[in-house]
Amino acid sequence: MILLLTTLFLIVIAFLVIRLYPSFGAAPKEERLSRIQQSPNYSNGQFQNPVKTKMQIDDVPFFKLIKEFLSNNENRIPQSPIAVLPIEKSSFHQDPSEVSICWLGHSTLLIKIDGKLILTDPVFSQRVSPFSFLGTKAFAYSENYSLEDLPEVDLVLISHDHYDHLDYQTIKKLSNKKVPFLTALGVGAHLERWGIAPERITELDWGETFWLTNQVSLTATPARHFSGRGLTNRFSTLWASWVISGSSKRLFFGADSGYFPGFKTLGGKYGPFDIAMLECGQYSPYWPFIHMSPEETLQAAADLKAQAVLPIHWAKYKLSIHPWTEPVERLLAASNQQQTTIATPSIGEIFTLDDTLPQKRWWAKEIN
């Protein structure tokens, strides 16, 4: 009887924490929920992947996986702080005709296109978790970026609601600014709970387009992934990749996705792309369908008809069990068999698409 009461008590406490603690976000309701329910990508009470997708293989060795994840052997985290570059705000105010990109680690990017500056998946907290004292901690950088280091942006783009892409503390700091947000269906519920005014939020279904200016558009496109910030709300909001089009350049921001035939469809419909920013990290043989291996990243780029690839979703958090430099090394090794250019800028480095793309192995000095 005592065990039963204790279990019930813990369940109630967990429910209250998830319900009341703000970083868990909010559930879509009323008009937002009605729109979700009308989506062709929503059925049986949840969003569906473009192809049948398991979250993991059937026989994951749970305790072995936990042991491997907790281990820092095999170069799974950097042994010294990663040397990153300070953000040069003035560089984004130079030639507006140039398309320039600055990668800030994981999936956070500053993208200037036709004079407009877009910030993707801004995560500046030290842990990707609902709690500041639990969860995976960010790798040590020589300089910790913050919103105060960034130039003023014209749009914040959120791909989906996972903690390593949608950061409560960062969004709270953005709530006092006037910058608009663009995201996938349902994610706006989190943003509103955290103080973002509804008129600043635009939510898109796959295939829908938002025009930032007469020249710059962003289209939400399918990805093979999932969503959810709590124990019971998986698939309750949509996840998306994004086509970013300007007057002369076209970019693809893949965010999170396992490999699927849809990349070839997207390449045929929206390509070719001048560059594709694709996930290249946090993969595992235990969850091969929701994240890509580096070799699949390269194939996705080919399917998209991308002239170049910027590998993202690595070099900031340990969310899998591979060595921290393995993603980019495997990607470069695979690229030797193809003509796709792999851009490897230092974290914080600004490069333009009209110049020779950076290709130095900056991470090598971090592991010597």
Side-chain angles (χ1 to χ4, degrees):
M1 186 65 176
I2 294 177
L3 179 60
L4 176 60
L5 290 174
T6 301
T7 301
L8 290 174
F9 175 75
L10 292 175
I11 291 174
V12 170
I13 292 298
F15 173 80
L16 290 174
V17 168
I18 293 173
R19 185 72 178 269
L20 300 177
Y21 202 69
S23 64
F24 284 100
K29 297 178 181 178
E30 300 175 347
E31 291 184 12
R32 179 174 283 116
L33 179 59
S34 177
R35 187 179 172 206
I36 285 172
Q37 292 170 337
Q38 295 173 39
S39 168
N41 304 303
Y42 187 87
S43 65
N44 300 320
Q46 60 185 25
F47 281 105
Q48 305 293 321
N49 264 299
V51 295
K52 188 175 181 180
T53 301
K54 289 184 177 181
M55 295 297 98
Q56 60 189 31
I57 62 173
D58 293 332
D59 54 347
V60 175
F62 180 75
F63 292 106
K64 177 184 177 183
L65 177 59
I66 294 298
K67 182 180 179 180
E68 288 189 61
F69 186 82
L70 294 176
S71 170
N72 286 329
N73 296 331
E74 301 180 3
N75 193 36
R76 288 192 178 136
I77 64 172
Q79 299 306 301
S80 60
I82 296 174
V84 303
L85 302 180
I87 299 170
E88 298 180 12
K89 294 182 181 181
S90 60
S91 298
F92 290 101
H93 301 297
Q94 295 173 4
D95 189 352
S97 66
E98 290 182 338
V99 174
S100 55
I101 299 173
C102 178
W103 176 50
L104 300 178
H106 208 62
S107 299
T108 303
L109 298 145
L110 284 165
I111 302 169
K112 188 191 75 173
I113 182 168
D114 287 331
K116 295 298 181 181
L117 193 56
I118 300 168
L119 174 64
T120 73
D121 290 355
V123 177
F124 297 109
S125 292
Q126 282 299 296
R127 297 184 188 273
V128 284
S129 160
F131 309 105
S132 61
F133 54 89
L134 287 175
T136 298
K137 193 173 183 180
F139 296 162
Y141 283 2
S142 60
E143 176 174 333
N144 290 322
Y145 299 122
S146 69
L147 282 176
E148 290 71 27
D149 299 318
L150 307 186
E152 290 295 320
V153 301
D154 299 290
L155 182 71
V156 178
L157 177 64
I158 305 293
S159 63
H160 63 297
D161 72 0
H162 283 160
Y163 290 94
D164 57 323
H165 296 261
L166 179 60
D167 179 24
Y168 165 67
Q169 294 294 342
T170 300
I171 301 303
K172 284 293 292 181
K173 290 181 179 180
L174 285 166
S175 64
N176 295 324
K177 299 181 180 292
K178 296 181 179 180
V179 61
F181 283 75
L182 178 63
T183 188
L185 287 182
V187 180
H190 304 311
L191 301 178
E192 279 195 47
R193 182 178 184 186
W194 300 337
I196 306 301
E199 59 269 20
R200 292 170 55 191
I201 303 169
T202 300
E203 298 169 72
L204 300 185
D205 202 348
W206 293 340
E208 294 180 340
T209 299
F210 169 80
W211 288 89
L212 181 59
T213 70
N214 291 334
Q215 293 182 315
V216 179
S217 67
L218 297 94
T219 301
T221 47
R224 189 184 191 188
H225 200 54
F226 66 109
S227 64
R229 293 176 73 85
L231 298 176
T232 61
N233 64 353
R234 183 173 283 185
F235 303 106
S236 62
T237 64
L238 189 59
W239 51 97
S241 56
W242 300 84
V243 173
I244 305 172
S245 297
S247 59
S248 63
K249 302 291 185 183
R250 187 165 293 182
L251 294 67
F252 186 83
F253 173 55
D256 282 5
S257 178
Y259 181 78
F260 72 117
F263 284 117
K264 182 160 287 193
T265 303
L266 294 174
K269 184 173 183 178
Y270 299 104
F273 293 96
D274 295 278
I275 193 168
M277 296 156 281
L278 296 173
E279 69 150 63
C280 182
Q282 320 320 321
Y283 50 83
S284 170
Y286 300 135
W287 50 83
F289 311 113
I290 55 173
H291 285 294
M292 291 188 283
S293 69
E295 295 77 16
E296 288 175 323
T297 296
L298 195 65
Q299 183 58 56
D303 292 349
L304 289 164
K305 302 178 183 178
Q307 296 178 23
V309 175
L310 171 60
I312 61 174
H313 209 248
W314 73 287
K316 190 168 185 179
Y317 299 103
K318 184 183 78 168
L319 301 175
S320 186
I321 55 176
H322 56 66
W324 79 273
T325 60
E326 181 185 280
V328 68
E329 293 285 6
R330 279 178 59 177
L331 182 68
L332 288 170
S335 71
N336 290 333
Q337 310 301 318
Q338 297 189 22
Q339 299 301 312
T340 305
T341 300
I342 309 299
T344 56
S346 296
I347 297 172
E349 178 181 357
I350 301 170
F351 66 94
T352 67
L353 295 189
D354 290 329
D355 295 332
T356 301
L357 300 183
Q359 293 182 288
K360 55 185 175 293
R361 294 175 181 254
W362 56 266
W363 57 91
K365 63 183 179 182
E366 312 293 345
I367 59 177
N368 291 333

